[in-house]
Amino acid sequence: MTNTTNTAFAKLLAYDGQDFFIRTASVYIGRRPGDNVITIGRPGCSSVAMRHFKIAYSKEKSCFELVVLSSKPVVVDGNAIKKGREPVALSHKSTVIIPCYHCVDPHAFCFLTPTKPVIPTPTHRPAPAAPAIHKWNINEKEQLKRFLLAYGYGRWEKLPKGIQDKDPAEISAYANSFIRSTAKAISDEPELSQSIVSLLEDSPYDKSVAIASNEWGKMDQRASVWGRRIRLLSRLTVFIDKYGEEQLLDNISDAMLLGQTPAPWWKRRHDKDLIVGTHRHGYANYSAIRLDPSLSFYHECKPPSEEERKAKKKDDEEEAVDDDEMDTSVLMVDESDVRSRSDSMNLDDPHDGYSRRQTEAQAQTGTESFPSSDTLTRRLKKLVECMVKSAKSSSKKSSKSKESSSRKSSDGSRK
């Protein structure tokens, strides 16, 4: 292929025969149009994220690679690839599919490379002049900040209406600015600082947006809290993507969940619904979580009065923005307490502590009082902490198992 204005490094051939040419070293594929974005899916399709995945050329591996950016997987050559996985190498005629049950035509593509590959280099790459980034006003930045503190980085499908139609590259650049400004303000906490910066996806506009604490308000007072919030939401998303909503707590022992629960009637299913509700409705949006019919709270708790609704909404807003770091040590329990309570209590039994008839009645009327916002936030933090500990423990066991197998294999070969 000659180096002309029509040069393309590769292309995606869609199911309907439409060609999408890849003319730069990296390109985003998603629902929202923008610079360096291949737009797919109809406007109302919820299966395709604003930026669903990225295809980029790797100089080290001398091939194009696919990176999933959405919480919804992409099927590459028959293998489901989730967000957080290592980049997947694409070869000539690789198949790329976004599962969808909403559209008539499937989001299926065939990745094709030219017979004589053109390696993406500065001399080959077309260099159209990039438009200058649009400056966001204070209100738009505040909306983005609240979104990041409610859903975490990368949950672009949850963007508020006021900014969801903006250029995805601009959204990413301003989100990166907020995260980097937060990380800069907590440089004395290197582990936390590095953990939130590691979440970022590069944007072509990154250098055009300032990294400054005065751009995002009260950074000197709130940076540490915001950093922990963003890390918590990121971990929560990773666990839901990995285990699914139903199996979230399967790897968590009863002993880890015992301690001071938010209410006497609280069970394992309520822990799961608290996590799922937070992921679905946003951090500390307990009013929406309480009124979600698919969650247990809707059927088991008393419906809020109008005064409670207003007071709860105010509490949730304050909790979401000004949440202080809470001491989760009060939720810990010693071994003797674990043993005594484990003998008399089955956390896996949804009817533990109630008769079946009483529980069925509650599903219709709801008699329990919904816990306070700060109590629920403490519990959420403790749950995520337990999930992190469990994941680390599983990782260590897996590593030891591999080492043991390797040693046995080595000993066997020597014999």
Side-chain angles (χ1 to χ4, degrees):
M1 183 179 287
T2 58
N3 184 26
T4 67
T5 55
N6 293 321
T7 294
F9 304 127
K11 76 174 180 180
L12 287 174
L13 176 62
Y15 174 83
D16 59 4
Q18 186 177 1
D19 290 333
F20 296 98
F21 290 96
I22 298 175
R23 304 184 189 279
T24 56
S26 66
V27 63
Y28 295 98
I29 290 83
R31 194 173 73 247
R32 296 289 180 186
D35 295 328
N36 207 29
V37 176
I38 292 177
T39 307
I40 62 172
R42 60 183 179 82
C45 177
S46 59
S47 295
V48 181
M50 187 168 64
R51 285 198 303 173
H52 206 100
F53 62 91
K54 179 174 74 171
I55 293 177
Y57 186 78
S58 169
K59 292 182 180 178
E60 295 179 357
K61 299 180 182 178
S62 300
C63 68
F64 277 94
E65 296 179 323
L66 184 146
V67 180
V68 178
L69 306 176
S70 169
S71 59
K72 299 177 181 177
V74 176
V75 180
V76 179
D77 293 329
N79 299 310
I81 310 301
K82 295 184 177 181
K83 182 179 179 181
R85 286 274 303 273
E86 292 294 322
V88 178
L90 297 176
S91 58
H92 184 55
K93 294 187 178 180
S94 284
T95 58
V96 179
I97 301 172
I98 299 176
C100 178
Y101 304 98
H102 306 286
C103 300
V104 176
D105 294 326
H107 305 301
F109 308 89
C110 182
F111 179 80
L112 301 173
T113 55
T115 306
K116 295 181 179 180
V118 180
I119 307 301
T121 64
T123 56
H124 286 117
R125 185 185 304 144
I133 190 170
H134 297 93
K135 297 297 182 183
W136 286 26
N137 59 40
I138 295 175
N139 181 54
E140 290 169 334
K141 290 180 182 178
E142 182 64 20
Q143 285 189 68
L144 179 62
K145 182 179 78 174
R146 284 177 174 267
F147 156 76
L148 291 170
L149 294 175
Y151 294 100
Y153 186 89
R155 301 282 310 283
W156 310 121
E157 72 277 7
K158 293 288 189 178
L159 280 168
K161 291 182 179 180
I163 57 176
Q164 66 180 196
D165 292 327
K166 287 185 172 293
D167 183 343
E170 283 190 12
I171 295 171
S172 180
Y174 277 102
N176 291 353
S177 169
F178 173 70
I179 301 293
R180 289 192 173 108
S181 297
T182 303
K184 184 178 179 181
I186 54 174
S187 56
D188 57 336
E189 300 179 67
E191 184 180 354
L192 176 60
S193 177
Q194 292 170 14
S195 69
I196 61 174
V197 170
S198 67
L199 304 172
L200 304 185
E201 305 159 1
D202 292 337
S203 165
Y205 292 125
D206 276 344
K207 293 182 179 179
S208 303
V209 182
I211 300 174
S213 60
N214 59 357
E215 292 282 321
W216 301 99
K218 296 187 180 180
M219 186 66 75
D220 54 336
Q221 303 172 28
R222 312 301 301 162
S224 183
V225 173
W226 290 345
R228 281 173 168 73
R229 171 93 62 85
I230 291 165
R231 183 175 63 181
L232 179 145
L233 291 169
S234 171
R235 288 172 169 175
L236 188 150
T237 298
V238 168
F239 288 126
I240 286 184
D241 288 346
K242 183 175 181 179
Y243 300 110
E245 293 184 354
E246 294 304 319
Q247 286 78 42
L248 258 181
L249 300 177
D250 284 4
N251 294 326
I252 307 299
S253 67
D254 289 351
M256 296 182 77
L257 295 180
L258 288 174
Q260 183 179 330
T261 56
W265 47 265
W266 194 272
K267 306 297 177 200
R268 180 183 280 260
R269 67 181 180 276
H270 303 115
D271 284 326
K272 177 183 73 69
D273 284 354
L274 176 60
I275 297 173
V276 171
T278 299
H279 184 260
R280 190 180 296 171
H281 299 291
Y283 186 91
N285 191 4
Y286 298 122
S287 296
I289 293 173
R290 179 180 186 175
L291 298 176
D292 186 335
S294 68
L295 302 178
S296 56
F297 308 116
Y298 179 84
H299 304 284
E300 298 179 28
C301 295
K302 292 184 292 188
S305 65
E306 191 60 31
E307 291 182 0
E308 285 180 318
R309 286 175 187 267
K310 292 178 180 179
K312 191 70 176 174
K313 183 178 180 182
K314 183 179 179 181
D315 288 345
D316 289 352
E317 290 174 350
E318 292 175 352
E319 183 76 12
V321 178
D322 297 322
D323 167 44
D324 288 320
E325 277 305 296
M326 299 179 182
D327 181 12
T328 59
S329 62
V330 296
L331 302 179
M332 299 295 286
V333 62
D334 61 36
E335 287 298 320
S336 59
D337 192 26
V338 169
R339 285 193 294 271
S340 63
R341 291 188 61 184
S342 295
D343 292 338
S344 60
M345 182 178 180
N346 181 6
L347 289 178
D348 289 319
D349 181 4
H351 303 296
D352 177 62
Y354 302 95
S355 69
R356 185 177 298 274
R357 185 177 300 172
Q358 286 174 320
T359 303
E360 290 173 351
Q362 283 188 340
Q364 299 172 11
T365 60
T367 59
E368 305 295 357
S369 297
F370 195 65
S372 64
S373 297
D374 61 338
T375 300
L376 291 171
T377 299
R378 287 192 182 96
R379 186 65 175 182
L380 176 69
K381 291 180 179 180
K382 181 60 185 176
L383 289 171
V384 175
E385 179 185 320
C386 289
M387 293 166 78
V388 170
K389 287 181 178 178
S390 177
K392 288 181 178 179
S393 176
S394 298
S395 179
K396 287 181 180 179
K397 289 179 181 178
S398 176
S399 179
K400 288 181 179 179
S401 177
K402 288 180 180 179
E403 288 179 6
S404 177
S405 298
S406 178
R407 287 172 185 167
K408 290 179 180 179
S409 177
S410 177
D411 293 341
S413 62
R414 288 174 185 174
K415 293 179 181 178

